[in-house]
Amino acid sequence: MGEALKLPQKRFHRQRPISPDLYNWHKHYPAHFNEDGSPSSDLKKVEIADVGCGFGGLLSSLSPLFPNQLILGMEIRDSVEEYVEKKINVLREQKPGEYQNISVIRSNAMKFLVHFFEKGQLSKIFFLFPDPHFKKRKHKARIITPQLLASYAYVLNPSHGKLYIATDVHPLYLWMTKYLDLNPLFERLDNESDEVKNDVCVQCSIRDTEEGKKVERNAGSKWWAVYKRVEVSGGEWTGFDPIVYQSEKDDGKEEDDGEDEEGDEVEPEETQESVAPPEKE
């Protein structure tokens, strides 16, 4: 008799790798990784991530600007991820040797980001024109929250990592900057500083995405900011202590009729506990 048939093992069919060092990047970057997943060039790890990459406009813009860095777009929608993958393959065929440093993956970055990237691995991470989730009961689904900032700080390099945000929704801009400003692991850069003015990623982030182009066609406004990752006192990141931001409690003090802008009933706000680092000494 032949060998008994075995059921498939779940660990080989999960939405995310068990750990970053076990993921095989050959499918995404065949010019830089062998079929067994071992590196075949000097580019060994993803250094730039576009979370919620949409239709890949930023990826194709950054590719020639950072030819010596691997860039990954993360998209949760199946059809959109499929489109970006086809787009990259066509660009590679049209211009052999180019666009080999960009790829896209379907994944929920809010849940699985740390499964793909090691501590301090990324030099840049982008959150451009994300879903604003207008209803108050959906605010917890926004891509920038106190809890999620812990993951973003973990994967960003503490010496030179940068986080970019952009949106055409002003209330969302205020929301994102509020929590980033409150977190001592991030420091906002002055938009008028030479460091920001000379940063090629700034114009790409507000100009080259499909959403950014749509806003320009409609003569809309854009709000953006750049934050750098900073180290906590002592020079070593030691983890996060749970705290509750007082400003989070104050947000709901002026609630009146229990309805949001669209007339839907709003669920009572719960106190939002966050995971944030201890304050600097």
Side-chain angles (χ1 to χ4, degrees):
M1 295 181 62
E3 294 184 3
L5 295 177
K6 296 182 179 180
L7 292 172
Q9 297 182 8
K10 293 179 181 177
R11 62 191 177 121
F12 296 120
H13 300 274
R14 297 196 183 278
Q15 192 177 352
R16 80 286 182 191
I18 299 174
S19 65
D21 58 317
L22 296 179
Y23 191 69
N24 188 333
W25 292 102
H26 172 73
K27 172 187 175 182
H28 300 282
Y29 309 102
H32 301 291
F33 290 88
N34 299 312
E35 290 188 4
D36 62 358
S38 60
S40 59
S41 73
D42 293 334
L43 307 186
K44 300 179 180 180
K45 294 182 179 181
V46 173
E47 294 186 43
I48 301 175
D50 182 11
V51 176
C53 67
F55 292 95
L58 181 69
L59 297 176
S60 55
S61 295
L62 294 180
S63 179
L65 297 177
F66 299 94
N68 297 320
Q69 291 181 291
L70 297 181
I71 307 169
L72 182 68
M74 306 186 78
E75 177 57 48
I76 197 171
R77 295 168 292 180
D78 287 318
S79 58
V80 178
E81 183 268 342
E82 183 180 356
Y83 169 87
V84 178
E85 183 177 0
K86 291 180 179 179
K87 176 182 178 180
I88 292 174
N89 290 335
V90 171
L91 289 173
R92 289 174 176 175
E93 292 180 5
Q94 289 177 343
K95 298 183 178 182
E98 298 184 27
Y99 299 102
Q100 296 291 338
N101 63 329
I102 59 174
S103 187
V104 64
I105 191 169
R106 195 196 78 80
S107 183
N108 186 340
M110 297 173 70
K111 293 183 177 180
F112 305 130
L113 190 72
V114 296
H115 288 265
F116 290 96
F117 308 123
E118 299 172 353
K119 177 182 176 181
Q121 178 176 333
L122 299 182
S123 62
K124 304 179 190 296
I125 189 168
F126 296 85
F127 302 94
L128 308 179
F129 302 95
D131 190 332
H133 292 292
F134 288 108
K135 296 181 179 180
K136 290 183 175 61
R137 63 174 175 267
K138 295 292 291 180
H139 284 181
K140 60 185 178 182
R142 286 176 170 175
I143 196 65
I144 298 292
T145 65
Q147 297 90 340
L148 291 174
L149 287 179
S151 297
Y152 307 152
Y154 179 83
V155 299
L156 275 174
N157 190 299
S159 63
H160 60 267
K162 289 183 179 179
L163 183 150
Y164 300 77
I165 61 170
T167 179
D168 58 331
V169 180
H170 192 247
L172 178 61
Y173 168 78
L174 296 177
W175 167 282
M176 293 191 292
T177 54
K178 177 179 74 171
Y179 290 116
L180 281 161
D181 290 341
L182 283 170
N183 194 311
L185 290 182
F186 292 97
E187 179 180 317
R188 195 198 301 215
L189 300 178
D190 185 351
N191 288 359
E192 299 301 320
S193 66
D194 291 337
E195 182 177 2
V196 173
K197 288 183 176 180
N198 296 330
D199 190 340
V200 295
C201 293
V202 172
Q203 286 303 313
C204 288
S205 63
I206 62 179
R207 179 193 62 201
D208 294 340
T209 66
E210 276 67 18
E211 285 296 326
K213 294 176 182 177
K214 185 191 300 182
V215 174
E216 286 191 3
R217 289 196 300 268
N218 296 331
S221 300
K222 303 175 187 176
W223 292 271
W224 57 275
V226 182
Y227 288 80
K228 69 177 181 180
R229 171 75 161 85
V230 295
E231 298 186 40
V232 296
S233 58
E236 181 65 24
W237 186 71
T238 56
F240 296 92
D241 292 332
I243 65 172
V244 176
Y245 289 126
Q246 184 63 39
S247 58
E248 180 75 11
K249 297 179 180 180
D250 296 338
D251 282 348
K253 284 186 177 180
E254 297 182 0
E255 297 295 328
D256 46 17
D257 58 1
E259 294 186 352
D260 63 7
E261 298 89 343
E262 300 180 13
D264 293 330
E265 185 178 348
V266 177
E267 296 176 359
E269 285 278 339
E270 296 181 357
T271 301
Q272 183 172 7
E273 292 192 355
S274 66
V275 182
E279 296 183 358
K280 298 178 183 177
E281 296 180 356

